Amino acid sequence: MRPLFFLIFLNLMLVCIAQPKLLTGKVIIEMDVLPKVDVFDSDTVLLGSTDMEGNFQITTDADELILSQPGMEWTHVIVPEECNYLEVIMIPGSTYH
């Protein structure tokens, strides 16, 4: 009987820990919105993209996001556990000769 209770308790703990959350945000550049930015997790799995107003909405349990768009520097963002909204400022990429 005890092993059964232990397995149920362990299963409930794992379910509580691994809950993905809804994360929304906006990507901007110099006081303007940035559309069509790809949002990846730290394993470079595409989670979503921004719309034409620079907004995104993803469901994830990742604690780090990577944002990318051609012509822009890749942006790494650490997502605090209690955070549900991000506003990310991206920087134009540089060309080296």
Side-chain angles (χ1 to χ4, degrees), residues 45-82:
V45 174
L46 182 63
L47 301 173
S49 298
T50 61
D51 60 15
M52 295 308 291
E53 286 82 37
N55 299 310
F56 67 89
Q57 182 175 359
I58 58 174
T59 303
T60 183
D61 58 352
D63 56 354
E64 181 181 0
L65 298 177
I66 302 169
L67 290 87
S68 108
Q69 184 191 50
M72 306 299 290
E73 294 285 335
W74 283 48
T75 304
H76 295 259
V77 179
I78 303 296
V79 181
E81 187 174 320
E82 64 279 353

Side-chain angles (χ1 to χ4, degrees), residues 22-37:
L22 180 65
L23 184 63
T24 59
K26 179 173 234 137
V27 180
I28 60 175
I29 177 174
E30 296 179 5
M31 305 302 292
D32 199 10
V33 296
L34 199 56
K36 305 292 183 185
V37 175

